[in-house]
Amino acid sequence: MGIAKIHAGNLLTIDDDERFVEYIEIFPEELQEALMDLYAGEKKFDVVYNELKDNEIQDENKIDISQSLLQKDTKRRFYVTQSMEELEYLMENESFDKWTIFLHPSQEKYASIHVNGPMLVEGGPGTGKTVLGIHRAAFLSENVYKAQDNKKILFCTYSKKLARYISDNIDKLFTQRGITNNVDVVGVDAFIAQQLGHNTLAVSMEKFNELAKFIYSTQRWKYSFDFYMYEYFQIIERYGIVSLEQYLKADRTGMGVGLNENNRKAVWEFFRRLYEEQRKRGIATFVNRAEKLLYLIDKNEISPTYDAVIIDEAQDLEPCKLRAVISCVKSGSDSVMILADDNQRIFNLRSWKSDVGINIVGRTHYLYLNYRTTKEISDYATAVLFKGEEKNEYMKSYKSIVKGNDPVVQGYKDEARERDAVVATIAGLIQRGTEPNQICVVFPNTNELSKFESVLDKHNVDHMFLKDDVIPQDSNGVCLCNVYGIKGLEFRVVIIFAAEKYGNWITNKYENIGDPEAKKKYLKQADCARFVAATRARDELYVTYTEG
C-alpha cells in the first residue's frame, strides 16, 4: 500500500479508535480511507487493495495528463469538467454552494451502477446520500431514461423543504452538466395527492385526533388513549388493517403489551368506530391517501407514469407511502433507489424494511465515511445517540475524516441568560466573518423558537424561520429551525438551544401507553432527533441548556 515499514509496525500495535484516527492523519486521504476499512474489519485486504490501486495504469512514469486525471487519487482532489460549457458555467458561478454537489470517488460507483431490482443505500449523516441521489438522477437522465425519449424520473423525499433543497441542487448540476432536466422533485405527501388528482382525500390530522379523542370519551375503554393511538399508528395504519379478521392475524411482535384474542376484539371495537366515523365525516390521514392510491393502481384506474424513482430519507416514511410511490414507477432495471439511515429516524418508531414488500437482497450498499461533520462533532452526536450502548453494525464503521474543534456545551441558570448568551455567540460568529445564513439555531419546539425570535428582534439581529419550504439560501440572516425541520440541511455552525427539553413531549405518551417497548422506542426517537440536529453542523457545534 506504499506505507513505510515503521508506520506499518506502529499501526499494527494500535487498538484504540482515537489513537488510530489521529495517527493516520499523516497519510493521504485515500490511504486514510483504506486503513479505516481494514481497521473496521468490514473488507478483506485484497478488496481494499484493489479499490486503492488503479489496475489500468501499468506504468506510472509513462502516463499522460489525460490518464492522470482519470486516476482514483486524482478524482479525490480534482474535478474534471465534462465540457467547455460546464467549465464556463462554473467560472461564471463562483459561490461556494456550486461546489457542494460534487461526488466523492467512493460514492461514484453507486451513482452509475446498473441494477436489475430496487437498490438501497444506507449511511450516516454527512456520508453524501442526498448528493449521491442527485448524481444518480443525473446519470439516469443522461444515460438511461433520457428526456428526448420522453422518459420521466421522480425524486421523492419526506418534506417539501427538503424537496425544494434537492430540486435547487438538481437544477445546478443539470445546468452545469448541460443535461435536459426531466426530474420531478416533490415531497411524498404532495406527490400522492398529485397522483390521486380529483380522487384525493382531504387530510386533517387535527380533525382525526379530535375524532379519536371524542370516541375515547364516549365510554370507559380498557386501555389509555395513548395506547390506542400507538396501536393505531404502529399496527392498524401501518399494515392497512381494515377488519377484525386482519387484526386478529396481525403480528404485534415487539409491541410490549400482549393482547389475546378477546382483548384484540375489545380493542378493535375502538378502531371500528373510528373508521365508521371517519367515513361519515370525510376525515382522512396521509396514509389513508396512500392506501387509496395503491387501491386505484391495483384496479388499473391509475397507471404508472415514471420510469425511475429515487427516494431520500426513506426511514421517515411509512411503508404504505413507500409502496404507493414505488407503484407509480414502471418496472424495469435501474428504476428504484432508496436512500436511508435508521439512526436518523425521527418520525417513525419501527423499521420500514420488512414491510415495504420489495427485495433488496444483494443490492444493499453502505456509506461509512463522513465528509461533512468534524470528528469531534460526530463523536459527540454518536455519544448522544447510543449513550454507551453498543453501536449498530454499520455505525461501528462510520468515521469522520475531518478534524476540528470540540463542541461547546454550556449550561445557564435561567432561560433569559441562555438566550442572551446565544445572541452574544451569534454576534461573535458574524463579527469574525461567518455568513449569517450559515448559522442555524435549532429548537426542541416552535414555542421555544418564537420566544427566541423576540430576543433577536430586540437586538436587531436579522433572522428567518425555516418553516414549510423555506431553505437557508432564502435568508440573509440567521436561520431558526425546529429539530423536525432541519433534517437534510447543513450549516457551518449549529447551535442546539434548550437541549434539556428535547424529547420532553414524549414523557406522558410512553407512561400512559403502559408498554415498555414503546418507552424504549420513544426515547430512542428523541435521541435520534438530537443526533440529527448535532450532525447538521459542518465546522462548529454549540449546545446550551438551562441547569436544574
Side-chain angles (χ1 to χ4, degrees):
M1 293 173 68
I3 297 176
K5 186 175 181 179
I6 186 171
H7 291 308
N10 290 339
L11 285 168
L12 291 173
T13 68
I14 296 175
D15 60 0
D16 175 77
D17 283 3
E18 190 77 25
R19 285 182 58 217
F20 177 78
V21 172
E22 288 179 359
Y23 192 94
I24 66 173
E25 287 180 349
I26 63 175
F27 301 119
E29 181 182 306
E30 62 273 11
L31 274 180
Q32 291 185 41
E33 294 175 16
L35 288 167
M36 282 181 173
D37 284 337
L38 289 176
Y39 186 71
E42 294 295 324
K43 298 177 182 178
K44 294 182 179 180
F45 180 82
D46 58 343
V47 174
V48 173
Y49 179 75
N50 287 329
E51 288 181 352
L52 189 65
K53 182 177 173 61
D54 274 303
N55 292 320
E56 66 274 15
I57 305 299
Q58 301 298 324
D59 186 346
E60 293 184 357
N61 296 316
K62 295 181 179 179
I63 61 174
D64 60 22
I65 185 66
S66 61
Q67 287 179 297
S68 295
L69 289 171
L70 295 176
Q71 289 189 75
K72 296 174 185 175
D73 295 348
T74 307
K75 287 183 177 181
R76 288 176 169 87
R77 297 172 176 83
F78 299 93
Y79 173 74
V80 183
T81 56
Q82 306 297 307
S83 64
M84 183 58 69
E85 289 75 19
E86 183 181 4
L87 177 61
E88 290 173 353
Y89 174 82
L90 288 170
M91 295 294 287
E92 291 170 2
N93 297 272
E94 297 177 352
S95 62
F96 174 79
D97 63 338
K98 298 294 187 298
W99 301 92
T100 61
I101 53 177
F102 291 135
L103 201 62
H104 190 274
S106 66
Q107 305 157 331
E108 189 175 25
K109 58 185 175 183
Y110 301 127
S112 56
I113 192 173
H114 287 287
V115 289
N116 291 321
M119 175 170 62
L120 169 65
V121 179
E122 292 190 285
T127 54
K129 296 183 297 298
T130 301
V131 175
L132 169 61
I134 290 168
H135 280 263
R136 178 68 171 173
F139 171 79
L140 293 176
S141 183
E142 195 170 23
N143 300 280
V144 183
Y145 298 114
K146 303 177 182 179
Q148 54 265 41
D149 297 330
N150 295 318
K151 303 295 184 181
K152 294 174 65 179
I153 299 168
L154 174 65
F155 200 127
C156 256
T157 190
Y158 83 99
S159 75
K160 53 187 175 182
K161 180 194 278 93
L162 193 49
R164 162 96 188 279
Y165 183 77
I166 291 168
S167 180
D168 286 356
N169 279 299
I170 282 180
D171 286 341
K172 291 173 193 172
L173 182 61
F174 277 55
T175 301
Q176 175 183 308
R177 298 271 293 273
I179 304 171
T180 302
N181 193 343
N182 63 337
V183 182
D184 291 340
V185 185
V186 64
V188 168
D189 292 327
F191 171 74
I192 291 172
Q194 289 173 11
Q195 292 298 296
L196 284 170
H198 68 276
N199 292 305
T200 196
L201 302 172
V203 169
S204 173
M205 294 307 298
E206 183 179 355
K207 289 182 179 180
F208 174 82
N209 290 330
E210 288 174 356
L211 175 60
K213 288 177 182 177
F214 168 73
I215 292 172
Y216 190 79
S217 70
T218 59
Q219 69 181 69
R220 293 189 66 178
W221 301 91
K222 183 172 182 178
Y223 300 97
S224 71
F225 175 74
D226 285 327
F227 169 85
Y228 285 97
M229 288 296 91
Y230 183 68
E231 187 78 2
Y232 179 83
F233 289 112
Q234 300 303 313
I235 300 296
I236 303 298
E237 187 179 67
R238 182 181 186 84
Y239 299 118
I241 295 171
V242 295
S243 69
L244 173 60
E245 290 71 26
Q246 290 176 323
Y247 186 48
L248 291 174
K249 295 176 183 177
D251 181 5
R252 297 182 67 259
T253 303
M255 290 296 285
V257 175
L259 297 177
N260 60 30
E261 182 174 333
N262 287 334
N263 284 338
R264 287 204 194 195
K265 287 179 179 178
V267 169
W268 177 254
E269 179 59 20
F270 177 86
F271 299 123
R272 186 195 67 76
R273 289 187 57 186
L274 180 60
Y275 274 139
E276 185 179 288
E277 290 300 320
Q278 270 189 273
R279 286 192 293 270
K280 286 180 181 177
R281 306 184 189 197
I283 297 173
T285 67
F286 288 105
V287 171
N288 293 152
R289 267 188 187 168
E291 290 168 345
K292 184 166 186 179
L293 178 57
L294 282 168
Y295 173 81
L296 293 175
I297 290 173
D298 186 57
K299 296 293 184 183
N300 294 319
E301 294 183 32
I302 293 179
S303 300
T305 54
Y306 288 89
D307 299 282
V309 64
I310 298 159
I311 305 174
D312 195 20
E313 302 288 356
Q315 74 280 349
D316 275 322
L317 299 176
E318 294 88 342
C320 185
K321 291 182 184 179
L322 283 167
R323 289 196 300 272
V325 171
I326 292 171
S327 296
C328 291
V329 177
K330 301 170 187 175
S331 60
S333 60
D334 300 322
S335 60
V336 178
M337 171 184 267
I338 299 173
L339 306 166
D341 177 15
D342 274 0
N343 292 318
Q344 296 186 68
R345 191 167 64 231
I346 63 175
F347 291 111
N348 284 306
L349 304 185
R350 295 162 68 93
S351 178
W352 53 271
K353 294 178 190 175
S354 61
D355 303 321
V356 176
I358 60 172
N359 180 17
I360 52 175
V361 176
R363 295 184 297 275
T364 299
H365 308 283
Y366 299 92
L367 303 176
Y368 298 108
L369 293 179
N370 174 7
Y371 304 102
R372 176 180 67 216
T373 306
T374 65
K375 180 181 182 300
E376 290 75 12
I377 294 173
S378 179
D379 286 348
Y380 172 83
T382 303
V384 165
L385 178 63
F386 291 101
K387 294 180 177 176
E389 299 174 358
E390 186 177 6
K391 300 176 184 177
N392 55 27
E393 282 306 308
Y394 82 80
M395 279 299 288
K396 290 179 181 178
S397 304
Y398 175 68
K399 302 289 181 184
S400 180
I401 60 175
V402 181
K403 295 210 71 176
N405 298 323
D406 288 328
V408 177
V409 182
Q410 183 66 53
Y412 298 90
K413 290 184 177 181
D414 55 55
E415 293 182 1
R417 295 185 189 188
E418 182 182 3
R419 293 190 193 97
D420 289 342
V422 171
V423 171
T425 298
I426 291 170
L429 289 166
I430 294 173
Q431 188 174 14
R432 78 180 197 210
T434 305
E435 294 179 15
N437 69 353
Q438 280 298 306
I439 302 169
C440 184
V441 188
V442 190
F443 301 86
N445 52 60
T446 304
N447 182 49
E448 292 293 336
L449 189 154
S450 298
K451 288 190 286 186
F452 191 78
E453 274 191 297
S454 63
V455 178
L456 292 178
D457 290 334
K458 179 181 175 182
H459 288 83
N460 296 314
V461 178
D462 288 338
H463 57 276
M464 179 172 283
F465 179 10
L466 302 184
K467 58 184 176 180
D468 299 325
D469 64 347
V470 178
I471 58 177
Q473 287 86 337
D474 297 328
S475 175
N476 292 318
V478 174
C479 295
L480 309 179
C481 195
N482 66 45
V483 67
Y484 300 103
I486 197 173
K487 183 187 282 287
L489 306 179
E490 66 174 66
F491 301 86
R492 291 189 184 276
V493 181
V494 167
I495 301 171
I496 298 178
F497 183 83
E500 81 282 2
K501 296 183 180 180
Y502 286 70
N504 279 3
W505 60 273
I506 68 172
T507 303
N508 291 332
K509 278 186 176 294
Y510 68 68
E511 287 182 351
N512 292 335
I513 289 170
D515 181 346
E517 290 300 318
K519 178 177 180 177
K520 289 181 183 178
K521 291 184 176 75
Y522 273 121
L523 287 173
K524 179 55 70 175
Q525 191 177 10
D527 291 339
C528 286
R530 297 184 187 97
F531 178 71
V532 167
T535 55
R536 300 307 96 195
R538 282 182 43 209
D539 304 324
E540 297 180 66
L541 174 66
Y542 296 82
V543 181
T544 68
Y545 61 94
T546 300
E547 298 171 338

